[in-house]
């Protein structure tokens, strides 16, 4: 005390700020720790919930294989990179000179070195961790390339240049490129770390007047630079194989210049690089940079001369003057490889005269094709399905429907089909809450289907309809828990005897209160435990999952519910088709998804952009997904995937069992793909040729139908898919050139004995001309022995056969059609005409165009298209009618029996002629009475409708009197609205309906 230790009054005051300043220093590590823990918990949540999802679909092996491979690559490459960088730092530190070669560049620069020396372990640990994360993350992303290389399967076909199996290019070459990239990264980062360390401790000073690097630094730099140049030599050697899939000016693959200049230059450069690397390694002993410097200069000059100037000179001086001759053998390789890689080698191109007039005997021979002409456009009729079969506002149908085949009453018909899905976004605002969104409105209900070639009063003829479902498609489980428009997640399930809360149907079978249901399917992840509830509350950032009493011990959570998404997760090596389609198979509603195996390393095969080749006017619209933006030059429809709409199970069936890429992935993921023989007959009847693959093939076939190298080079026979004319009329920008989509149709190609369900498209010449040059169809019936067979009808070059755009223009400008549509399109009519798909099919020795026209109200709620007319064109003839048969009779000027029922009719019961006459006259009298009443009320539409019914009844009476049975009118279905008015002009009625 007396020594004056406490005589300083400032000391206590000075200590307070230090104590208060310590709180932030203590708080920061706490915050940092919490952030790290949150990140780790988030990563754990993502990984663990993925594991639970895969277990819920019995595909835990997929999860474990992918995770195990990614972890393995992360650890090996990450540790290798971290070890290499840290080792070079340690070597540089331990070989630092005692005295710096030159003074530090700035005052206080040595402090950085001192700081690192004091905290060396921490610094090295941080750097090692960063390298581990950086290298490991990059490596784990290459798990597909590694697994494909690890399980590679030979193609059994060798390339025509290096004499190597195609598997080397598809599987080995990509993995070697990945390894080369990691090698570059490890050596470069090691070199940077060594340079920085030597610089900090004075072993490397570029500003020094004399020696700029210590002996140890020279040795370390020489070894690392030698390794870098050695990797460059390996890169040059690999580039040789890369030429087989490089994009030359004309095509993909080795060209004349590539073969005679680039290829030998790569070999020479590889040798020079090896020698240059040897000079760097020799510098470890000689300690002079002269020879490595000279070697580097020689390598750079050689790369310029051999790698750039020589190929350019050869191209300009030798190839360009006689390019067709020089490139011919290489073009031939490209043609052969492209047709093989895209499955076009069996395309059958035949000459087709395309007559402009049809003979009666030809029409009679093709009569059985006519009932298969689809008039119901799945891209237009969606609103009709929704308005007439939606039942409640929270149900919905997709914008574009699907086309399938169903056997009804012993006959297979093309069918337009859709699933009635629940869409919680459509609930009234007063009903939107967490319980309703996630525990009540959990599933859709039922399938709606209509005949593709019939209408009744302008609306589809239903083969499956209403709620609960009724129709001709048989009994099935109607609940749709997994679909294209399902909620992001739903919580389902209840204890035994628990009260159901999930809305099944808005009313019971006999009306009354809504029916409720409890999910009993095997799909979904159990979340009855607190741990799982916490995980999913974190995953979906929704505390209600953790807090709600609706979550019980038996609850399951359904998520990742779209069919395409489930297939992508179940088989991450597949590219799924953009348009899954529903089908009723073995008493279940399932989604069928075509899966593709692809590659961009098939030698000599032409590369295409997948998203560009598959794009048309339907792509990206509604639920039809756009393909990823990636290049491919090999594709196979190797897998047919089936997703159960009730329990979400995913079944993968091998379709193209000879595909080496499929075999490779089946070895990588054993037991996940079932053999083709396991496909049930019912499922087989609904499989079809995939649409996106067809789009890619038709894109290539536009040029690669030519097999002669000279003609191919001249582009004198180049085709293109025409723009969709209906897209321009609907307001799309014609400058974008959006291709016409392909169409599923039942038709008979020349040489076939019976109609086949096919996928069709047309071609026009490349350029400004729009006349038709070819028609292509592929047999889409999976049960057919000719499934996948391409048949191309090539039209004569000296005939001007109109293409889709020209035919559409004829429809637009034809005076008769304009007058027929004028009442609909008038500004005060309250309606507009909407054109459907413009179909093309061979018929009667020529080509027939068929296009339905719909009437749509332009204002008011609940508008939907109603079929009003059918337009047809054959040769130079154009006609229209209220039915296909009427239109065909006009264009062919003869009676063409389509087997089609007129709108509002059905097959008659067997009656005696006199009974039919009496009934028909009574119907005519009743129709006349209704027409007069409608006219009195000013209802012109009703007046015209009843006049049409009266005329049909009189025609029926006359036919019956002549001994020819005709259809009798059927009652309008209960609840089915009539078509929108076309503002008909009233005509004078006959003096007597019995006339």
């Amino acid at each position: 005390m007396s020594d004056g230790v406490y005589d300083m009054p400032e000391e206590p005051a000075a200590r307070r700020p230090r104590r208060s300043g310590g709180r932030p220093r203590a708080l920061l590590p706490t915050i940092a720790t919490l952030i790290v823990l949150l990140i780790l918990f988030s990563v754990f949540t993502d990984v663990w919930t993925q594991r639970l999802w895969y277990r819920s679909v019995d595909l835990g092996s997929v999860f474990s294989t992918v995770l195990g491979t990614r972890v393995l690559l992360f650890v090996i490459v990450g540790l290798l990179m971290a070890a290499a960088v840290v080792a070079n730092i340690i070597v540089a530190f331990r070989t630092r000179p005692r005295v710096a070669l030159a003074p530090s560049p700035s005052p206080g620069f040595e402090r950085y070195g001192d700081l690192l020396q004091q905290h060396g372990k921490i610094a090295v640990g941080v750097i090692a961790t960063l390298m581990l994360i950086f290298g490991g993350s990059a490596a784990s992303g290459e798990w597909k390339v590694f697994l494909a290389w690890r399980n590679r399967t030979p193609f059994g076909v060798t390339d025509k240049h290096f004499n190597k199996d195609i598997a080397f290019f598809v599987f080995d070459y990509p993995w070697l490129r990945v390894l080369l990239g990691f090698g570059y990264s490890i050596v470069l980062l090691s070199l940077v770390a060594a340079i920085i360390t030597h610089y900090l401790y004075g072993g490397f000073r570029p500003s020094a007047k004399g020696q700029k690097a210590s002996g140890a630094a020279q040795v370390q730099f020489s070894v690392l630079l030698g390794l870098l140049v050695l990797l460059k030599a390996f890169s040059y050697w690999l580039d040789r194989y890369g030429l087989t899939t490089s994009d030359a000016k004309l095509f993909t693959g080795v060209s004349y210049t590539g073969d005679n200049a680039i290829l030998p230059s790569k070999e020479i450069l590889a040798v020079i690089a090896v020698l240059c690397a040897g000079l760097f390694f020799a510098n470890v002993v000689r300690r002079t940079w002269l020879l490595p410097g000279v070697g580097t200069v020689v390598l750079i000059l050689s790369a310029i001369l051999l790698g750039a100037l020589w190929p350019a000179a050869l191209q300009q001086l030798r190839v360009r003057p006689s390019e067709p001759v020089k490139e011919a053998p290489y073009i031939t390789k490209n043609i052969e490889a492209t047709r093989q890689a895209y499955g076009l080698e069996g395309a059958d191109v035949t000459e087709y005269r395309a007559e402009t007039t049809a003979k009666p005997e030809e029409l009679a021979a093709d009569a059985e094709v006519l009932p298969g002409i689809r008039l119901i456009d799945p891209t237009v009729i969606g609103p009709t399905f929704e308005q007439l079969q939606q039942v409640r506002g929270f149900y919905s149908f997709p914008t574009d429907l699907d086309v399938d085949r169903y056997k009804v009453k012993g006959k297979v018909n093309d069918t337009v089909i859709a699933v009635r899905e629940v869409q919680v976004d459509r609930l009234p605002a007063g009903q939107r809450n967490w319980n309703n969104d996630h525990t009540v409105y959990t599933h859709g209900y039922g399938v709606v289907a209509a005949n593709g070639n019939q209408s009744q009063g302008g609306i589809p003829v239903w083969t499956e309809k209403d709620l609960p479902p009724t129709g001709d498609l048989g009994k099935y489980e109607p609940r749709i828990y997994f679909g294209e428009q399902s909620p992001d997640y739903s919580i389902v399930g209840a204890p035994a005897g628990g009260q159901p809360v999930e809305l099944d149907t808005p009313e019971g079978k006999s009306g009354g209160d809504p029916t409720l249901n409890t999910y009993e399917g095997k799909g979904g992840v159990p979340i009855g435990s607190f741990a799982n509830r916490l995980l999913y509350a974190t995953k979906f950032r929704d505390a209600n999952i953790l807090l709600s009493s609706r979550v019980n011990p038996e609850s399951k959570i359904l998520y990742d519910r779209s069919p395409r998404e489930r297939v992508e997760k179940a088989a991450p090596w597949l590219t799924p088709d953009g348009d899954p389609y529903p089908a009723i198979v073995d008493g279940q509603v399932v989604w069928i998804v075509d899966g593709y195996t692809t590659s961009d390393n098939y030698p000599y095969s032409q590369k295409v952009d997948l998203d560009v080749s598959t794009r048309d006017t339907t792509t990206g619209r509604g639920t039809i997904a756009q393909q990823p933006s990636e290049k491919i030059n090999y594709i196979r429809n190797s897998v047919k995937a089936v997703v159960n709409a009730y329990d979400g199970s995913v079944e993968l069936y091998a379709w193209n069992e000879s595909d080496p890429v499929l075999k490779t992935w089946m070895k990588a993921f054993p037991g996940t793909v079932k053999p083709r023989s396991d496909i049930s007959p019912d499922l087989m009847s609904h499989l079809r040729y995939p649409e996106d693959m067809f789009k890619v093939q038709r894109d290539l076939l536009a040029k690669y139908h030519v097999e002669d190298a000279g003609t191919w080079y001249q582009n004198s026979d180049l085709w293109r898919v025409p723009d969709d004319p209906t897209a321009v009329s609907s307001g799309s920008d014609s400058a974008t050139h959006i291709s016409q989509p392909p169409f599923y149709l039942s038709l008979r190609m020349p040489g076939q004995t019976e109609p086949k369900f096919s996928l069709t498209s047309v071609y026009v010449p490349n350029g400004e001309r729009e006349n038709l040059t070819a028609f292509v169809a592929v047999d889409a019936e999976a049960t057919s022995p000719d499934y996948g067979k391409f048949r191309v009808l090539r039209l004569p070059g000296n005939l001007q056969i109109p293409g889709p755009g020209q035919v559409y223009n004829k429809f637009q400008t034809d005076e008769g059609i304009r007058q027929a549509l004028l009442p609909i399109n008038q500004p005060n009519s309250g309606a507009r005409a909407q054109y459907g798909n413009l179909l093309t099919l061979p018929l009667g020795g020529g080509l027939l165009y068929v296009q339905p026209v719909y009437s749509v109200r332009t204002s008011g709620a609940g508008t939907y298209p109603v079929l009003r007319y059918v337009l047809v064109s054959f040769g130079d003839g154009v006609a229209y009618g209220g039915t296909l048969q009427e239109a065909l009779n006009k264009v062919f000027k003869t009676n063409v029996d389509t087997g089609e029922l007129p709108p509002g009719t059905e097959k008659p019961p067997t009656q005696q002629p006199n009974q039919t006459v009496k009934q028909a006259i009574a119907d005519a009298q009743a129709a006349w009475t209704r027409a007069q009443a409608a006219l009195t009320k000013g209802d012109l539409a009703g007046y015209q409708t009843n006049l049409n019914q009266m005329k049909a009844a009189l025609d029926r009476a006359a036919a019956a009197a002549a001994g020819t049975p005709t259809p009798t009118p059927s009652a309008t279905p209960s609840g089915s609205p009539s078509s929108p008015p076309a503002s008909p002009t009233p005509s004078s009625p006959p003096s007597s309906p019995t006339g």
Side-chain angles (χ1 to χ4, degrees), residues 309-601:
L309 297 182
W310 180 20
L314 184 67
Q315 181 69 29
Q316 291 296 322
L317 300 177
R318 190 169 184 180
V319 177
R320 189 173 182 180
S322 54
E323 193 171 50
V325 177
K326 298 295 184 184
E327 299 289 13
Y330 304 98
I331 291 174
T332 299
K333 289 181 182 180
N334 173 260
I335 293 173
E336 292 175 355
T338 300
R339 290 172 65 89
Q340 291 170 359
Y342 290 96
L344 298 174
E345 65 268 35
D348 184 11
V349 181
T350 59
E351 300 296 327
Y352 189 64
R353 182 62 185 170
E355 302 290 345
T356 56
T357 57
K359 299 177 182 179
E361 58 270 21
E362 291 175 328
L363 292 175
D366 285 340
E368 61 182 326
V369 175
L370 298 176
I373 299 178
R374 179 173 46 74
L375 302 178
I376 303 300
D377 184 353
T379 66
V380 172
I381 210 69
T384 305
F385 271 55
E386 188 146 303
Q387 291 300 322
L388 302 185
Q389 288 295 318
Q390 183 183 31
V391 181
R392 288 292 187 273
F394 50 80
Y395 288 127
S396 70
F397 295 95
T399 305
D400 290 15
L401 310 183
D402 292 292
V403 179
D404 199 354
R405 295 93 61 223
Y406 283 88
K407 193 171 186 179
V408 177
K409 298 178 181 177
K411 183 179 180 182
V412 177
N413 292 324
D414 290 359
T415 302
V416 178
I417 187 169
V419 168
R420 185 187 290 107
E421 295 197 54
V422 67
Q423 201 165 7
V424 295
D425 291 340
R426 294 189 174 190
L427 288 170
Q431 292 181 250
R432 294 300 304 275
N433 55 64
W434 187 85
N435 284 312
N436 279 348
D437 286 2
H438 298 290
T439 67
V440 176
Y441 295 93
T442 59
H443 60 282
Y445 204 93
V447 164
V448 176
N451 281 329
N453 64 335
Q454 290 181 324
S455 69
Q456 210 170 45
I459 64 174
V461 176
W462 309 111
T463 54
E464 190 75 19
K465 61 178 182 177
D466 296 341
L467 196 65
T470 60
D472 302 317
L473 303 189
K475 293 183 178 180
Y476 60 92
E477 170 56 63
R479 297 173 181 88
I480 311 298
Y481 281 91
F482 296 87
E484 294 177 306
Q485 302 181 72
S486 297
D488 55 348
Y489 75 88
S490 294
I491 294 176
V492 298
Q499 183 68 29
V501 297
E502 301 171 42
L503 180 70
D504 218 18
T505 58
E507 295 180 355
K509 293 184 178 180
S510 303
D513 295 333
T515 60
L516 302 176
N517 175 67
T518 297
Y519 179 72
E520 297 179 351
K522 65 179 182 179
V525 177
I527 56 168
S529 67
F530 175 81
N532 282 4
R533 291 169 70 174
L534 177 61
L535 286 173
Y536 282 96
T538 304
K539 178 180 178 66
F540 291 105
R541 295 175 174 83
D542 193 340
N544 290 297
I545 298 176
L546 192 61
L547 303 175
S548 175
S549 60
R550 286 285 177 90
V551 184
N552 58 75
E554 300 300 322
S555 289
K556 293 181 175 181
I557 186 168
L558 312 179
Y559 64 100
D560 291 345
R561 301 165 74 174
S562 73
R564 199 169 186 270
E565 185 178 18
R566 294 181 79 79
V567 172
E568 284 179 317
K569 294 186 69 172
W573 41 274
L574 279 178
T575 300
D577 190 88
D579 186 20
Y581 60 98
I584 298 175
V585 175
D586 299 320
Q588 297 285 326
V589 178
V590 300
W591 296 93
I592 299 175
V593 186
D594 286 285
Y596 308 121
T597 51
T598 62
S599 174
D600 64 345
N601 284 294

Side-chain angles (χ1 to χ4, degrees), residues 262-274:
I262 299 177
L263 185 62
S265 72
K266 295 292 184 181
E267 295 172 346
I268 295 171
L269 287 171
V271 173
I272 294 174
V274 170

Side-chain angles (χ1 to χ4, degrees), residues 909-972:
T910 303
Q911 295 181 339
Q912 295 298 324
N914 60 339
Q915 294 174 324
T916 303
V917 171
K918 291 178 182 180
Q919 183 62 48
I921 292 175
D923 291 343
Q925 289 173 330
W928 172 244
T929 301
R930 293 195 300 272
Q932 290 290 24
L935 186 60
T936 302
K937 296 177 181 178
D939 182 8
L940 298 181
Y943 175 80
Q944 186 64 49
T945 299
N946 285 289
L947 283 184
N948 293 340
Q949 292 177 357
M950 181 189 71
K951 181 179 182 304
L954 292 176
D955 291 343
R956 192 168 65 255
T964 305
T966 57
T968 57
S970 65
T972 301

Side-chain angles (χ1 to χ4, degrees), residues 298-314:
V298 170
L299 179 60
I300 293 173
L301 291 176
S302 299
I304 295 173
L305 292 173
L306 299 177
L309 297 182
W310 180 20
L314 184 67

Side-chain angles (χ1 to χ4, degrees), residues 564 578 610-612 614-615 619-621 623-629 692:
R564 199 169 186 270
L610 183 59
D611 60 328
V612 175
T614 57
R615 187 182 305 150
T619 305
R621 189 172 67 188
T623 57
I624 300 178
Q626 183 173 333
Q627 290 293 351
S629 178
D692 278 349

Side-chain angles (χ1 to χ4, degrees), residues 162 235-244 254 263 266-267:
F162 295 100
S235 177
Y236 281 133
W237 192 256
L238 281 183
D239 288 345
R240 298 161 56 252
Y241 303 113
L243 288 175
T244 62
V254 180
L263 185 62
K266 295 292 184 181
E267 295 172 346

Side-chain angles (χ1 to χ4, degrees), residues 122-316:
I122 296 177
V124 169
V126 170
I127 293 173
T129 301
L130 291 176
M131 292 299 101
L132 175 66
I133 295 173
F134 172 74
S137 299
S140 66
E142 301 293 343
W143 66 269
K144 290 184 184 179
V145 182
F146 171 76
L147 279 180
W149 167 77
R150 180 69 178 81
N151 298 278
R152 59 195 180 278
T153 301
F155 275 65
V157 178
T158 57
D159 81 290
K160 296 185 177 180
H161 198 100
F162 295 100
N163 200 33
K164 285 184 172 292
D165 191 277
I166 302 298
F168 170 81
F169 300 92
V170 174
F171 303 124
D172 295 1
Y173 176 76
W175 178 240
L176 291 175
R177 277 292 179 190
V178 168
L179 292 178
L180 179 64
F182 289 143
Y184 271 132
S185 298
I186 291 172
V187 176
L188 277 173
L189 289 172
S190 298
L191 179 61
V192 170
I195 290 173
I196 292 174
T197 306
H198 280 294
Y199 190 81
L200 285 174
Y201 293 103
F204 177 55
R205 286 286 192 267
S207 59
K209 293 182 179 180
Q211 186 179 6
K212 300 182 183 301
S214 66
Q218 286 193 49
V219 170
Q220 192 169 3
F221 294 166
S222 298
V223 171
L224 291 173
L225 287 171
L227 289 174
L228 203 59
V229 177
L230 199 60
L231 288 173
K232 186 60 180 176
F234 183 54
S235 177
Y236 281 133
W237 192 256
L238 281 183
D239 288 345
R240 298 161 56 252
Y241 303 113
L243 288 175
T244 62
T245 53
S246 63
D247 286 325
K249 186 183 71 170
L250 293 175
F251 51 83
T252 298
V254 180
S255 63
Y256 181 90
T257 300
D259 191 14
N260 294 277
I262 299 177
L263 185 62
S265 72
K266 295 292 184 181
E267 295 172 346
I268 295 171
L269 287 171
V271 173
I272 294 174
V274 170
L275 295 176
C276 185
L279 293 177
F280 275 103
F281 293 139
N283 197 42
V284 172
V285 179
R286 293 180 58 86
R287 305 286 178 89
T288 175
W289 290 102
L290 178 61
L291 290 179
V294 171
T296 302
V297 171
V298 170
L299 179 60
I300 293 173
L301 291 176
S302 299
I304 295 173
L305 292 173
L306 299 177
L309 297 182
W310 180 20
L314 184 67
Q315 181 69 29
Q316 291 296 322

